[in-house]
Amino acid sequence: MEMEISSVKMLYKHLIFCAVQRCRMADYLCRLTVKLTPVSRFGLPLVRISVSDTGVGSKLEDYQYLKYRNDPILANQWDGMLYLATTSVSDSEIHNLNLNLKESNSVGTLTKLPSTAKNGAKFSGTEVSVSISKSLDDLLAEVTCFLQKMILLKVPKVVMELLVGGDDSLGSQIGSRILVIEGSSVYSPVESIKCLKLGLKDYVRKHQTRFSVGENLKVGTGVANSSGSSQGNSQVVEAVVIISEMSELVPSSCIREQDMKTEVLYFEDFVSCSIAQSSLDALTNINWKSYGLALRSIANHDGSVMLEWENLLPDFHIHIAIHCYHRQVKQWVAENSLPDRNLVRKAVKCALDDLKENNQGVLLSRRALKMCDYAPDLAKTLAQLILSSNDLNFQEECCSLLGVQSQEVNMDNVGNCIREKIISVIGLNDRNSQKNKEAPTFLFEDDCFQKEHFMEEEYHEGEEAYNFLDL
């Protein structure tokens, strides 16, 4: 399976991807380092990108399937040369190789260089480097942004760092710009979905300062697995959805058009990457109306996906993260496959349902929202019926069921209590999943009340039945 390198960004993303997989295959704590070093070749200023890891040794097959695209922009930035140094624990030496991806004959691209003796030392690791003709500042900004998204996953057993420096005068001037990437879960046995949840919450706190943080975030998670056994190399899709509310200190006039959009953070095998078309199709096929949302458009620019909403509340913002990975990493290159569209759709829906289940009044369907609009008038009518009755025992029983104390009985208190119960019943039944066909909740409910004579109705997605006790 060939992979065509079409840009510098795609190149260093792939090098980091390979390093992460080697670390995942190791059964010990690993370090992954990305270093940017200004160098000069034939009088031309370049930046050397070096990606090193202490995972299992690299295999040549990890890079021989790469294909260099014949593109003038790429040709001006990279000469197609890749330098590799790798060793396994069982090796007695470090293998040094050059790979020229510009050569059309893949057999003739490899050049073996003299090996380096390990002198009896037992360790493994790989370092891959390329030299790029690009601004150091621009490259640093790109790589930093990429790694900051990547640590959102808190990759198990991996500590990452980004280093910037060099031995010349230019390098000494920027030597202080050493960035240590935090957030690794190291040896923590925490489930991947929990790491994704914590990571996205941290990401929201750091990048959405205009919105509330901390416990005010409303979070939902979902996981979907392929039919393979838990011991096999089955595919797993995890999704996290977070809703943040704008701070009351921010006036509505400051709401930007960007706040009506949602960036989808997408990951495959613990690395941030461009979203797959199958996953994009899955997002398109979700019935967003059942969550009270109207999707206006999906924009996919250079792998970055933005969902634009038509009716999102002005003080709300939605965040979505999706992670697709394989349980086992063995022969990951050969087994790499596109994410299952149905799994992606199921995971996102589970996350939305989870968020809806644990946060009353959030993500109500359009039908439920329309019913809530009638709640104030209905509550007022019921309150008038109760308080206008000449039967004091009837009034007392109704107020008792509503939880209104005798000294608090008036039109406003009774009406507000009924309205809250109506909205609560609507929300409760709207959250019921398609599998849950239990009878809808009653507005008033007494322990002695016997639920009989129900009219069973067939459930349709997006349509729920709401029954209220006649007074």
Side-chain angles (χ1 to χ4, degrees):
M1 181 183 68
E2 291 186 342
M3 176 179 179
E4 189 175 57
I5 300 297
S6 58
S7 66
V8 169
K9 180 182 292 187
M10 187 176 183
L11 173 63
Y12 69 69
K13 283 185 176 182
H14 179 72
L15 298 183
I16 295 174
F17 179 87
C18 292
V20 169
Q21 308 317 311
R22 289 190 293 267
C23 291
R24 288 182 63 201
M25 293 178 67
D27 57 357
Y28 48 81
L29 178 64
C30 298
R31 176 178 294 275
L32 192 159
T33 303
V34 180
K35 186 175 181 179
L36 306 180
T37 307
V39 296
S40 177
R41 181 184 299 171
F42 305 114
L44 298 176
L46 302 173
V47 179
R48 184 170 64 243
I49 305 175
S50 173
V51 179
S52 60
D53 67 86
T54 59
V56 299
S58 177
K59 294 182 179 180
L60 187 58
E61 290 82 359
D62 295 347
Y63 304 99
Q64 278 193 317
Y65 71 95
L66 296 179
K67 183 179 179 181
Y68 186 96
R69 173 183 286 186
N70 187 16
D71 182 87
I73 297 178
L74 180 61
N76 288 332
Q77 294 180 328
W78 180 42
D79 60 5
M81 294 298 297
L82 186 147
Y83 305 90
L84 173 67
T86 184
T87 186
S88 299
V89 174
S90 58
D91 292 338
S92 59
E93 55 188 9
I94 300 174
H95 307 285
N96 300 302
L97 310 101
N98 282 355
L99 195 60
N100 186 353
L101 296 180
K102 268 192 174 182
E103 296 291 336
S104 58
N105 183 2
S106 60
V107 178
T109 61
L110 178 65
T111 302
K112 293 186 177 180
L113 303 177
S115 300
T116 305
K118 294 169 63 173
N119 298 321
K122 296 292 184 180
F123 63 89
S124 65
T126 300
E127 180 176 10
V128 185
S129 61
V130 294
S131 295
I132 302 298
S133 176
K134 192 170 184 177
S135 165
L136 176 61
D137 289 335
D138 292 344
L139 193 57
L140 176 60
E142 285 184 10
V143 176
T144 300
C145 181
F146 174 73
L147 291 179
Q148 284 177 339
K149 288 184 179 180
M150 188 172 142
I151 63 172
L152 184 150
L153 293 171
K154 302 183 183 295
V155 186
K157 301 185 298 181
V158 180
V159 176
M160 294 181 290
E161 62 180 357
L162 172 59
L163 306 179
V164 182
D167 299 328
D168 54 12
S169 58
L170 177 60
S172 63
Q173 292 175 10
I174 62 175
S176 59
R177 295 165 65 181
I178 297 178
L179 306 176
V180 177
I181 305 300
E182 301 174 349
S184 171
S185 58
V186 192
Y187 275 110
S188 172
V190 178
E191 294 179 80
S192 176
I193 183 62
K194 293 183 179 179
C195 291
L196 182 61
K197 174 182 175 180
L198 294 174
L200 185 57
K201 290 176 70 174
D202 290 342
Y203 184 85
V204 171
R205 293 189 184 101
K206 292 177 181 178
H207 295 83
Q208 296 290 338
T209 56
R210 296 170 351 102
F211 292 81
S212 64
V213 297
E215 298 303 322
N216 293 326
L217 294 177
K218 299 174 176 63
V219 185
T221 61
V223 181
N225 300 274
S226 63
S227 57
S229 64
S230 58
Q231 289 77 22
N233 195 19
S234 60
Q235 191 176 89
V236 182
V237 179
E238 300 172 342
V240 177
V241 179
I242 292 181
I243 292 181
S244 56
E245 296 183 55
M246 184 176 292
S247 170
E248 296 180 357
L249 300 177
V250 179
S252 58
S253 59
C254 295
I255 298 175
R256 303 170 300 181
E257 182 181 353
Q258 189 69 15
D259 296 329
M260 298 295 290
K261 298 179 180 180
T262 294
E263 179 187 8
V264 180
L265 301 176
Y266 186 79
F267 307 87
E268 286 187 16
D269 289 299
F270 293 87
V271 179
S272 175
C273 63
S274 301
I275 190 167
Q277 183 60 46
S278 59
S279 298
L280 197 61
D281 294 339
L283 293 175
T284 304
N285 292 330
I286 290 177
N287 181 16
W288 295 104
K289 291 182 180 179
S290 63
Y291 302 99
L293 298 170
L295 185 62
R296 174 177 296 169
S297 64
I298 297 182
N300 183 11
H301 177 66
D302 194 25
S304 178
V305 175
M306 299 293 293
L307 308 181
E308 184 176 4
W309 310 104
E310 290 184 357
N311 60 337
L312 190 64
L313 294 176
D315 54 347
F316 273 58
H317 193 81
I318 299 177
H319 316 262
I320 299 177
I322 301 173
H323 182 206
C324 310
Y325 65 96
H326 297 84
R327 291 187 182 276
Q328 295 181 357
V329 200
K330 294 181 180 179
Q331 298 178 345
W332 60 270
V333 171
E335 295 179 0
N336 188 28
S337 59
L338 292 176
D340 187 299
R341 180 179 67 178
N342 294 328
L343 287 181
V344 174
R345 181 176 179 272
K346 181 179 179 181
V348 175
K349 281 179 58 65
C350 286
L352 291 168
D353 291 338
D354 182 50
L355 193 154
K356 189 174 182 176
E357 177 70 25
N358 294 295
N359 296 275
Q360 182 176 341
V362 176
L363 296 180
L364 292 179
S365 67
R366 283 189 168 187
R367 189 170 189 270
L369 290 173
K370 289 181 180 179
M371 297 189 71
C372 287
D373 291 339
Y374 296 103
D377 291 339
L378 178 58
K380 183 178 180 180
T381 300
L382 293 175
Q384 289 175 340
L385 288 174
I386 293 174
L387 297 182
S388 63
S389 174
N390 294 323
D391 188 340
L392 298 181
N393 290 331
F394 170 74
Q395 284 191 19
E396 181 179 350
E397 183 178 357
C398 288
C399 292
S400 176
L401 288 173
L402 289 170
V404 180
Q405 301 297 324
S406 58
Q407 64 272 19
E408 299 176 347
V409 174
N410 57 56
M411 182 63 69
D412 288 339
N413 287 341
V414 174
N416 289 338
C417 187
I418 294 176
R419 178 179 58 81
E420 291 176 1
K421 285 184 174 292
I422 291 175
I423 293 176
S424 176
V425 169
I426 293 173
L428 178 61
N429 286 280
D430 190 63
R431 292 194 300 271
N432 284 341
S433 66
Q434 188 171 354
K435 295 180 180 180
N436 188 356
K437 296 185 178 180
E438 293 181 359
T441 304
F442 282 86
L443 175 60
F444 301 118
E445 187 171 331
D446 188 31
D447 292 339
C448 299
F449 184 77
Q450 300 296 321
K451 301 179 181 179
E452 298 178 349
H453 309 298
F454 277 104
M455 294 291 293
E456 294 188 359
E457 297 182 6
E458 183 179 358
Y459 181 93
H460 298 282
E461 184 173 357
E463 297 184 2
E464 297 82 10
Y466 299 92
N467 294 312
F468 303 101
L469 179 65
D470 293 332
L471 296 179

